[in-house]
Amino acid sequence: MSATSQKNRASRRVLAAAAGLATVGALVAAMPAGADDRGADRHGSGRTVDVQLLSFNDLHGNLEPPAGSAGSVTEKQADGTTKAIPAGGVEYLATSLRTAREGHPYSVTAAGGDMVGASPLLSGLFHDEPTIEALNGLDLDVSAVGNHEFDEGATELGRLQNGGCHPVEGCYEPGKTFEGADFPYLAANVTNEKTGKPVLKPYTVWKKNGVRIGFIGVTLEGTPNIVTANGVKGLKFHDEIETVNKYAKELDRQGVKSIVALIHEGGAPASTAYNYDCDSPGAGDGISGPIVDIAKGITPKVDALVTGHTHQAYVCTVPDPAGKPRMVTSASSFGKIYTDTTLTYDRRTKDIVRTSVRSANHVVRRDQAKATDMTALIARWNTLAAPIAGRPQGFIAADINGRGSTAPEKPLGNLIADAQLEGLAPADKGGAQLAFMNPGGIRSDLVYAQSAGEGDGVVTYGEAFTVQPFTNMMNVVDLTGAQLITALQQQVSGSNEASPKILQVSRGLTYTLDMTKSGAARLVADSVRLNGAAIDPAASYRVAMNEFLAGGGDGFAALGQGTNKLVGPSDLDLFNAYLAAHSTASAPLAPPATDRITIIK
């Protein structure tokens, strides 16, 4: 980091501290006016100058390399086959970014949101302070907020931005106060319900030697549907297209003609390979999903879109409203990929030469040198986490895939749902007859190979926490059979039709989805059975689920209609109790069979 950068970033913290932020409405007051100028430049004296834009998204506090299949990316080989490449970890991400910047005097680094939230224990145990510290060390210049930045509410997000020790748990290291993010978080489409003002700065302008590039940051408008109610209390989330267009016009009036939108919403490319040619013209090629319509609606004033949320890797062009191609990128998740984009800046027009924009995704490989500062950061926080993280919880006989599984029904999803049912089935615990688990709440795999010397097959508290980091409280509610049928239909219809969210179900519940049909008709209604008996639409059933689903999250409005609610232990407590009850070193737990959901394609 240059002396100029250090001085500017220190000034931000002084200004933020002086503002004394305590409320959502006040957050915007202390936000930085723009990203820092990284000092004198010896290049780019002609009419145009190439600006390097490095970007990544959906880190989710994965400071250490992600374990199991969640820690690899798919690479397409020259002969058409694919290969899994181990990737990720901030020690390697730092090296990749620093190496990429060499020879590029004009370089800016941006992120597409979900830097924190749903994090492994190393970061999550400390309310993601370690991740913010790591991002500062990566010289991140700017980030959009994602939905997970709101997991603990806007006030906590303000603390991550501006610093200060946690209001309940205090400071984690003696004599050290958390300093907050050196980079601005942007939340253009998130406003305070009472004041109507953005809760964080909507945009920032990166400047260097007369070159100015504006960054507008938004998260998906549907954030309230995928975050607990407490996390978004008092906030309003607005349309992504309207918001970006509004602030692009404002930047244009200020003379900022070069604009990048950071959008925490994404799509699904036709191939999962990070090096897939997204613009290949073949039938079924390209990209689908919400980001396509968003990109088509965003003003041509915006020169490139950095996206995220779907954890996919893609470099695509999507036509803007004027019909001209525009770059849309995403860099997978967990720090496994970074995107390198060249923006050619015209000093005369102050705009990006759109036809010269080039972009490519690169693997954060683990066969390169580790960044020693990141190694030291991880070791420091691991020392603090070790007394909790290393406690054995149970034993497994093989990998039990969750996040890394691409199948609708996941072995780890079944295991979690079974744990919830068993823990809440006793009459005095709720009398649950079945359990549902949302697939997005499964954040990792359970990996057989040891990770920190605990021994193969041992599941530690840290590993269990990484699988279920939200610590959602469990609910048991009454739902009618008709409501259960509707909930199963909502997996593949309504807001979930284009991108189905398949609930993970406890043992005894079976049903069939016919994906050759559309909407609610995809559920074969008379196939739904509980312990072999058809679901009675008029009967009442006791259903266990986490508080997120019980609030109607992920588009499951029917699950939010439950009555006679009983609040139980946390999902993590039930998971760990199940592991302890069903496994020993001599009799480890085998991966559950995936035979509960039948899919017709």
Side-chain angles (χ1 to χ4, degrees):
M1 188 185 301
S2 68
T4 303
S5 175
Q6 290 174 328
K7 180 179 178 181
N8 286 346
R9 292 183 173 186
S11 298
R12 290 180 195 165
R13 290 195 288 270
V14 171
L15 290 172
L21 297 182
T23 63
V24 172
L27 288 178
V28 71
M31 294 302 297
D36 62 292
D37 185 327
R38 291 184 181 270
D41 175 38
R42 298 189 301 272
H43 307 283
S45 57
R47 174 171 171 173
T48 63
V49 57
D50 283 346
V51 178
Q52 179 189 58
L53 171 62
L54 301 176
S55 57
F56 57 98
N57 52 274
D58 295 275
L59 180 64
H60 290 289
N62 279 265
L63 303 182
E64 297 177 296
S69 55
S72 65
V73 297
T74 301
E75 182 177 75
K76 185 178 180 181
Q77 306 298 298
D79 62 1
T81 60
T82 59
K83 180 181 179 181
I85 308 292
V90 295
E91 295 162 294
Y92 303 110
L93 178 59
T95 298
S96 291
L97 295 177
R98 291 165 186 171
T99 301
R101 290 178 187 132
E102 293 175 0
H104 294 275
Y106 290 81
S107 183
V108 56
T109 303
D114 276 6
M115 295 294 97
V116 300
S119 304
L121 186 80
L122 176 60
S123 187
L125 184 63
F126 306 106
H127 297 275
D128 281 311
E129 290 182 19
T131 295
I132 297 297
E133 182 183 340
L135 293 171
N136 290 343
L138 292 177
D139 282 338
L140 181 64
D141 289 293
V142 59
S143 179
V145 294
N147 53 287
H148 281 284
E149 263 81 17
F150 293 95
D151 282 348
E152 296 189 49
T155 301
E156 172 63 3
L157 174 56
R159 187 184 75 86
L160 292 181
Q161 174 71 83
N162 298 295
C165 296
H166 192 270
V168 176
E169 298 179 20
C171 301
Y172 294 112
E173 296 179 286
K176 288 188 178 181
T177 299
F178 174 58
E179 295 186 341
D182 287 345
F183 56 91
Y185 261 124
L186 305 181
N189 66 331
V190 187
T191 59
N192 183 304
E193 278 185 340
K194 292 182 179 179
T195 67
K197 295 180 179 180
V199 298
L200 290 171
K201 194 170 179 63
Y203 60 83
T204 192
V205 180
W206 180 86
K207 306 172 185 177
K208 181 163 186 175
N209 295 345
V211 175
R212 295 197 298 168
I213 299 178
F215 288 87
I216 303 168
V218 297
T219 187
L220 69 156
E221 183 182 9
T223 290
N225 299 324
I226 53 176
V227 173
T228 58
N230 284 338
V232 295
K233 187 176 182 180
L235 305 177
K236 188 171 182 180
F237 292 76
H238 302 268
D239 181 84
E240 304 94 337
I241 297 173
E242 292 176 4
T243 302
V244 172
N245 289 352
K246 169 186 173 181
Y247 288 110
K249 187 180 294 185
E250 186 171 316
L251 283 166
D252 186 63
R253 286 197 299 265
Q254 296 174 14
V256 179
K257 306 296 183 182
S258 299
I259 302 172
V260 175
L262 309 176
I263 303 176
H264 192 70
E265 179 60 288
S271 168
T272 58
Y274 80 90
N275 54 344
Y276 162 67
D277 180 4
C278 195
D279 292 335
S280 57
D285 280 342
I287 186 174
S288 59
I291 198 59
V292 177
D293 288 338
I294 291 173
K296 289 178 178 178
I298 285 178
T299 173
K301 294 180 187 299
V302 174
D303 298 294
L305 278 62
V306 172
T307 71
H309 186 56
T310 57
H311 291 204
Q312 302 294 309
Y314 48 83
V315 172
C316 308
T317 56
V318 177
D320 67 15
K324 296 181 180 178
R326 177 169 52 193
M327 194 66 74
V328 180
T329 68
S330 177
S332 184
S333 63
F334 300 172
K336 296 181 290 187
I337 294 282
Y338 73 93
T339 310
D340 191 337
T341 300
T342 300
L343 303 173
T344 301
Y345 182 90
D346 188 320
R347 292 184 182 276
R348 187 176 302 173
T349 65
K350 301 180 182 179
D351 206 350
I352 299 299
V353 182
R354 186 90 70 79
T355 54
S356 298
V357 175
R358 305 182 303 278
S359 192
N361 277 332
H362 302 277
V363 179
V364 177
R365 305 183 71 96
R366 298 185 199 166
D367 56 2
Q368 61 184 318
K370 296 180 180 181
T372 56
D373 58 331
M374 293 296 152
T375 301
L377 182 151
I378 289 171
R380 203 177 86 242
W381 288 101
N382 261 333
T383 299
L384 293 175
I388 296 173
R391 291 202 305 255
Q393 303 298 309
F395 304 85
I396 56 175
D399 287 357
I400 304 181
N401 287 336
R403 192 74 182 182
S405 169
T406 58
E409 181 183 354
K410 307 174 192 304
L412 189 50
N414 288 355
L415 178 60
I416 291 170
D418 288 349
Q420 294 175 353
L421 175 61
E422 180 170 298
L424 299 172
D428 62 339
K429 302 295 184 184
Q433 297 167 272
L434 67 152
F436 289 133
M437 175 62 192
N438 56 307
I442 306 169
R443 305 306 300 185
S444 185
D445 303 332
L446 280 184
V447 179
Y448 176 79
Q450 63 180 327
S451 58
E454 75 275 15
D456 291 344
V458 179
V459 179
T460 65
Y461 184 89
E463 291 166 338
F465 183 98
T466 298
V467 168
Q468 291 204 101
F470 298 108
T471 317
N472 270 311
M473 302 309 292
M474 292 299 301
N475 290 182
V476 185
V477 300
D478 286 344
L479 288 172
T480 66
Q483 289 169 326
L484 286 177
I485 296 295
T486 299
L488 293 175
Q489 291 171 332
Q490 288 171 344
Q491 301 176 106
V492 289
S493 63
S495 61
N496 292 331
E497 179 159 8
S499 182
K501 291 186 173 70
I502 306 302
L503 292 166
Q504 307 298 286
V505 300
S506 55
R507 65 169 63 91
L509 184 66
T510 57
Y511 64 90
T512 298
L513 291 174
D514 185 349
M515 301 306 289
T516 66
K517 298 182 178 179
S518 61
R522 288 171 165 173
L523 178 72
V524 181
D526 60 3
S527 71
V528 186
R529 297 276 191 277
L530 180 61
N531 299 321
I535 293 291
D536 180 354
S540 179
Y541 297 86
R542 292 292 283 169
V543 184
M545 66 192 99
N546 60 43
E547 59 188 323
F548 170 68
L549 280 179
D554 267 354
F556 291 102
L559 297 182
Q561 298 169 357
T563 58
N564 297 324
K565 179 171 71 174
L566 184 146
V567 178
S570 74
D571 50 8
L572 181 59
D573 286 345
L574 290 181
F575 185 52
N576 283 331
Y578 189 87
L579 290 172
H582 291 273
S583 67
T584 64
S586 59
L589 192 66
T594 50
D595 54 3
R596 303 171 189 182
I597 306 171
T598 300
I599 307 289
I600 300 173
K601 297 182 180 180

